[in-house]
């Protein structure tokens, strides 16, 4: 009697261990809540930009003219195209086209790498001219330009960090696809990877004109 | 497609068209900046960026297929951010 009761109660507990906890809607809502914190993180920096643009209009325009707007334009095109290949990856996975999804992820990684190389060259060019926070050259310049470059390095640097993190997540998603942990019928991990990548793209969409095109 | 699968795969052409619109708007922002319209530049840049961001949200991020819950969440974030902006500028303008 007690033995069979024990078996009966033990049985459902054991079965519960194997319950499928896959919850794409919950996972997606969780991802969006995280993305909102990212929006407010960058949002606060955009407010700082707006306040100082109003205060140091002339210096901000001068700083903006010193940036290479054609490299900025190139990187915008590169990142927008990477968002296209990311969207392809998710759509291909949903259709069960695993190889195409992997190929699209590889293309996204390539574009992400191109973006970082261009960004690094821009920063390197500025560094070689002594333009970096607290450098002697910088400290001799008007306060407004110091603020402009401070925001430029902080915001594009934080954005580039997000690109690097996004690329790491894409690599992990590709590995999970190869190990069949992400499958056409359960690919929320890949979808959330896409959401992250697209958000990083949106942030750049605002960074580009504000830093490069106000001169 | 049942309600708890989240995949919204649009035809590939929809994504290509979205990308084309984003590239065209980028060219437009760049062109306006070259015209050197001074005060209009920042306003135009922000407006076009908002349109581009919305395209990415609604088409690449599939928000147009999501249930109303997501729009309510965006509204909450938007209002929160608007309050931040409002309070900041009320502070700076009243100094």
């Amino acid at each position: 009697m007690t033995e069979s009761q024990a078996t009966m109660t033990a049985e459902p507990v054991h079965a519960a261990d194997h319950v499928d906890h896959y919850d794409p809607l919950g996972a997606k809502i969780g991802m969006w809540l995280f993305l909102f914190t990212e929006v407010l993180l960058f949002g606060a920096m955009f407010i700082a930009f707006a306040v100082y643009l109003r205060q140091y209009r002339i210096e901000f325009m001068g700083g903006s003219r010193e940036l290479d707007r054609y490299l900025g334009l190139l990187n915008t095109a590169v990142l927008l195209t990477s968002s296209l290949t990311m969207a392809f990856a998710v759509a291909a996975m949903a259709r069960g086209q695993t190889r195409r999804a992997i190929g699209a992820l590889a293309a996204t990684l390539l574009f992400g790498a191109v973006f970082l190389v261009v960004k690094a060259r821009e920063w390197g060019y500025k560094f070689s001219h002594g333009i970096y926070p607290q450098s002697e050259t910088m400290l001799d310049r008007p306060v407004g330009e110091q603020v402009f470059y401070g925001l430029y390095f902080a915001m594009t640097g934080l954005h580039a960090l997000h690109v690097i993190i996004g690329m790491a997540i894409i690599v992990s998603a590709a590995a999970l696809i190869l190990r069949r942990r992400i499958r056409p019928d359960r690919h929320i991990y890949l979808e959330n990877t896409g959401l992250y990548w697209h958000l990083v793209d949106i942030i750049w969409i605002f960074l580009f004109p504000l830093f490069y095109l106000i001169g | 497609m049942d309600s708890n699968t989240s995949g919204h795969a649009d035809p590939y052409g929809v994504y290509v068209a979205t990308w084309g619109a984003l590239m065209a708007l980028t060219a437009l922002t760049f062109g306006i900046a070259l015209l050197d319209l001074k005060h209009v530049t920042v306003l135009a840049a922000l407006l076009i960026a908002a349109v581009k961001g919305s395209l990415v949200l609604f088409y690449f991020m599939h928000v147009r297929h999501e249930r109303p819950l997501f729009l309510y969440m965006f509204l909450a974030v938007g209002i929160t951010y608007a309050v931040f902006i409002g309070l900041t500028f009320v502070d700076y303008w009243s100094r």
Side-chain angles (χ1 to χ4, degrees):
Chain A
M1 179 72 185
T2 46
E3 210 172 343
S4 73
Q5 264 180 341
T7 323
M8 280 171 70
T9 51
E11 206 53 50
V13 172
H14 181 71
D17 285 343
H18 295 276
V19 161
D20 191 349
H21 289 298
Y22 184 67
D23 176 11
L25 179 63
K28 187 187 283 180
I29 291 173
M31 189 67 199
W32 274 106
L33 290 176
F34 167 66
L35 294 184
F36 294 152
T37 71
E38 296 275 48
V39 166
L40 294 177
L41 169 66
F42 278 95
M45 300 179 97
F46 277 112
I47 293 177
F49 184 93
V51 166
Y52 286 119
L53 173 64
R54 203 172 149 272
Q55 194 170 343
Y56 299 114
R57 180 138 206 137
I58 305 297
E59 291 87 344
F60 268 47
M61 288 169 71
S64 180
R65 266 193 295 273
E66 279 187 339
L67 297 178
D68 190 332
R69 52 173 57 175
Y70 288 98
L71 285 182
L73 181 66
L74 170 68
N75 255 354
T76 303
V78 167
L79 217 52
L80 288 176
T81 310
S82 81
S83 255
L84 174 66
T85 56
M86 187 73 233
F88 277 170
V90 177
M93 201 64 213
R95 290 188 172 89
Q97 301 161 331
T98 308
R99 282 169 151 247
R100 185 176 280 184
I102 295 276
L105 286 181
T108 310
L109 279 177
L110 180 71
F111 288 124
V114 170
F115 178 91
L116 288 176
V117 167
V118 172
K119 198 79 229 146
R121 287 200 61 137
E122 281 186 82
W123 275 35
Y125 184 76
K126 286 281 171 276
F127 284 7
S128 69
H129 285 71
I131 296 175
Y132 51 89
Q134 301 300 307
S135 73
E136 277 182 35
T137 320
M138 207 68 251
L139 291 176
D140 284 341
R141 288 180 158 215
V143 176
E145 288 188 18
Q146 294 179 33
V147 173
F148 176 82
Y149 276 108
L151 284 169
Y152 168 74
F153 285 119
M155 292 179 80
T156 61
L158 187 63
H159 177 267
L161 181 65
H162 279 76
V163 172
I164 294 169
I165 294 169
M167 289 172 72
I169 300 172
I170 288 173
V171 169
S172 76
L176 289 173
I177 291 173
L178 292 174
R179 289 162 60 191
R180 305 213 146 268
R181 296 280 303 280
I182 296 175
R183 300 191 302 266
D185 59 323
R186 41 195 307 154
H187 65 284
I188 187 63
Y189 188 103
L190 183 62
E191 263 201 276
N192 282 346
T193 304
L195 291 181
Y196 186 83
W197 192 260
H198 295 311
L199 185 88
V200 173
D201 190 19
I202 290 178
I203 291 165
W204 181 258
I205 284 172
F206 283 92
L207 285 177
F208 166 60
L210 287 179
F211 278 106
Y212 291 83
L213 301 181
I214 59 169
Chain B
M1 190 164 289
D2 82 80
S3 61
N4 204 32
T5 55
S6 55
H8 311 287
D10 290 313
Y12 290 113
V14 171
Y15 301 119
V16 175
T18 305
W19 173 81
L22 288 168
M23 295 297 259
L25 287 169
T26 303
L28 181 65
T29 316
F30 201 78
I32 289 175
L34 290 179
L35 290 178
D36 210 9
L37 298 172
K38 307 289 178 202
H39 296 285
V40 184
T41 310
V42 176
L43 190 66
L46 281 178
L47 280 176
I48 295 172
V51 173
K52 287 169 71 182
S54 304
L55 282 175
V56 174
L57 269 180
F58 282 93
Y59 287 90
F60 283 166
M61 297 168 95
H62 295 137
V63 170
R64 70 196 182 112
H65 296 305
E66 300 293 1
R67 59 194 71 200
L69 168 67
F70 286 82
L71 291 176
Y72 302 149
M73 292 198 296
F74 293 147
L75 207 60
V77 176
I79 291 171
T80 307
Y81 190 48
V83 168
F84 285 169
I85 293 174
L87 289 177
T88 307
F89 278 90
V90 163
D91 180 14
Y92 273 90
W93 279 340
S94 60
R95 289 185 186 192

